[in-house]
Amino acid sequence: MRRWQRYASLVLLLTAAVVVFQALVRLGLRMGDQPGPGLMPLVLGVLLGALAAALLAGNLGPGEAQAPFWAAGTWWRPLGAVALMAGFAFGLRWIGFMAGIGLLVAGWLLILERKRLWVAALSGAVTATVVYALFVVLLKVPLPMGSLLTR
């Protein structure tokens, strides 16, 4: 496993070097007396390089014993997560965002996490209420209502 993490850290280090180079050479750090467009990419490139170097340093040495990628019977949870997200995305037009997010959270907890029905339902309702209060009431962002609820 450590071999792949070493490869990933090297790719991230190369990406960070390209970002830093582009920020310094192509974008520039100053525009007159103001910060230039390359400042934020430079900061993010340096941060990415530091994290990639830490990942590389933490994965030096011998690798662990090989293990199967999928243990028997564990494939259903990622597949279920993809199915729930696809159902949310495709059903958003008809049921709207608020009902959709409540059903997504409740379904996730009920199906994937195997929580009790009342916990899943309460969590879905609370999530939908908090999202409504935050986006619609506080931030005044119109969320899609869905065609079933607007008739």
Side-chain angles (χ1 to χ4, degrees), residues 73-126:
T74 59
W75 57 270
W76 75 272
R77 289 188 71 190
L79 186 63
V82 169
L84 279 171
M85 293 301 291
F88 172 71
F90 290 121
L92 191 62
R93 170 182 282 187
W94 295 285
I95 63 173
F97 187 80
M98 300 313 301
I101 197 71
L103 288 173
L104 174 68
V105 169
W108 193 286
L109 291 174
L110 191 64
I111 297 168
L112 296 178
E113 299 299 324
R114 298 187 184 257
K115 299 293 181 185
R116 293 184 177 160
L117 178 61
W118 72 271
V119 172
L122 182 64
S123 298
V126 167

Side-chain angles (χ1 to χ4, degrees), residues 11-26:
V11 168
L12 290 173
L13 275 172
L14 180 65
T15 303
V18 169
V19 168
V20 168
F21 175 77
Q22 293 290 333
L24 291 173
V25 175
R26 301 277 183 192

